[in-house]
Amino acid sequence: MNTYLLIFFILLGYLHLGWCWADICTSMAWLKKQRPRLAYALTILLWPVSMMMMDSNLTEGHEDDYHEE
């Protein structure tokens, strides 16, 4: 019984973090305000991938900022 409860809370935490990330993307205008439900659901479920892609897109234009001159 405790194993099922642990799995439930881990799944609940994962989905909560995905919901927070989707909300951050919406408020920063990375997702459209009038978004399809499927795109929002995929962002919630695949939030680690979405976060890595967003990080690589943001740092792509700023590669020279990290090198010492």
Side-chain angles (χ1 to χ4, degrees), residues 20-59:
C20 291
W21 176 248
D23 191 44
I24 289 169
C25 289
T26 302
S27 66
M28 299 293 285
W30 293 331
L31 280 177
K32 296 178 182 177
K33 299 283 184 192
Q34 301 295 332
R35 64 201 171 274
R37 288 183 183 220
L38 180 63
Y40 194 73
L42 285 175
T43 304
I44 289 174
L45 292 175
L46 301 173
W47 67 267
V49 175
S50 173
M51 191 178 286
M52 288 184 281
M53 289 174 51
M54 190 62 62
D55 182 51
S56 68
N57 287 340
L58 290 175
T59 58

